[in-house]
Amino acid sequence: MRVFTSPDQLEQAVGADLGTSDWLLITQERIDRFADATDDHQWIHVDPVRAQAGPFGAPIAHGYLTAALLPALMRQIFRVEARMAVNYGLNKLRFPAPVRVGSSVRAAVRLVEVTKVAEAVQVVSTATVEIQGEPKPAVVAETVGRFYL
């Protein structure tokens, strides 16, 4: 866990790999709860019998479910001591490979850019969600966070 206490520390870490999170098991229950929360009940996610005969051989997590796990996974990797932190958005988001139910994922983070913005420090990082045992990642995202010091 990297802890940053100042904008200068963040600026010095630009270009650095900050580490990886723990592995997280993706269960059918998690996928079903996400489907309920988003009203996205497509069979490739929530129908195990049909999905087994489908193109992925098993149900897969929604791409946006995997992306939605980024804040929790990234909190295991680094922290900025601040009054408040907000997700400011994504500059880029891709889903190169499906996450089959029963797979484990983890995030790896590289710090890309640090900019002072009004009362905040804006941090751009590249987060790659790896799938255990798979050659291609599930998610590659350029995330933008703002930390109010």
Side-chain angles (χ1 to χ4, degrees), residues 81-126:
E81 290 188 0
R83 288 184 294 115
M84 179 178 65
V86 296
N87 293 317
Y88 194 68
L90 300 167
N91 290 336
K92 182 178 179 181
L93 176 64
R94 298 291 184 266
F95 305 116
V99 178
R100 289 171 186 80
V101 70
S103 298
S104 292
V105 298
R106 73 176 179 186
V109 175
R110 173 180 287 245
L111 189 60
V112 174
E113 180 182 308
V114 174
T115 308
K116 293 177 184 172
V117 179
E119 300 175 30
V121 175
Q122 182 166 291
V123 175
V124 177
S125 51
T126 299

Side-chain angles (χ1 to χ4, degrees), residues 63 66-67 93-99 105 128-131 136-140:
T66 310
L93 176 64
R94 298 291 184 266
F95 305 116
V99 178
V105 298
T128 303
V129 178
E130 304 167 347
I131 308 166
K136 291 175 73 177
V139 171
V140 179

Side-chain angles (χ1 to χ4, degrees), residues 16-148:
D17 291 323
L18 300 183
T20 57
S21 69
D22 295 334
W23 290 105
L24 176 67
L25 178 66
I26 302 301
T27 63
Q28 186 65 53
E29 179 186 2
R30 183 183 293 271
I31 292 169
D32 292 344
R33 288 193 329 252
F34 189 83
D36 289 342
T38 60
D39 287 331
D40 181 354
H41 293 94
Q42 188 177 161
W43 63 269
I44 61 173
H45 306 303
V46 299
D47 186 338
V49 173
R50 187 173 177 195
Q52 189 171 5
F56 305 110
I60 61 169
H62 305 70
Y64 286 113
L65 164 57
T66 310
L69 294 169
L70 280 171
L73 295 171
M74 291 173 70
R75 273 194 303 272
Q76 295 179 18
I77 299 167
F78 78 99
R79 177 170 56 89
V80 178
E81 290 188 0
R83 288 184 294 115
M84 179 178 65
V86 296
N87 293 317
Y88 194 68
L90 300 167
N91 290 336
K92 182 178 179 181
L93 176 64
R94 298 291 184 266
F95 305 116
V99 178
R100 289 171 186 80
V101 70
S103 298
S104 292
V105 298
R106 73 176 179 186
V109 175
R110 173 180 287 245
L111 189 60
V112 174
E113 180 182 308
V114 174
T115 308
K116 293 177 184 172
V117 179
E119 300 175 30
V121 175
Q122 182 166 291
V123 175
V124 177
S125 51
T126 299
T128 303
V129 178
E130 304 167 347
I131 308 166
Q132 194 169 30
E134 296 290 334
K136 291 175 73 177
V139 171
V140 179
E142 189 172 86
T143 69
V144 184
R146 286 199 174 171
F147 298 90
Y148 294 83

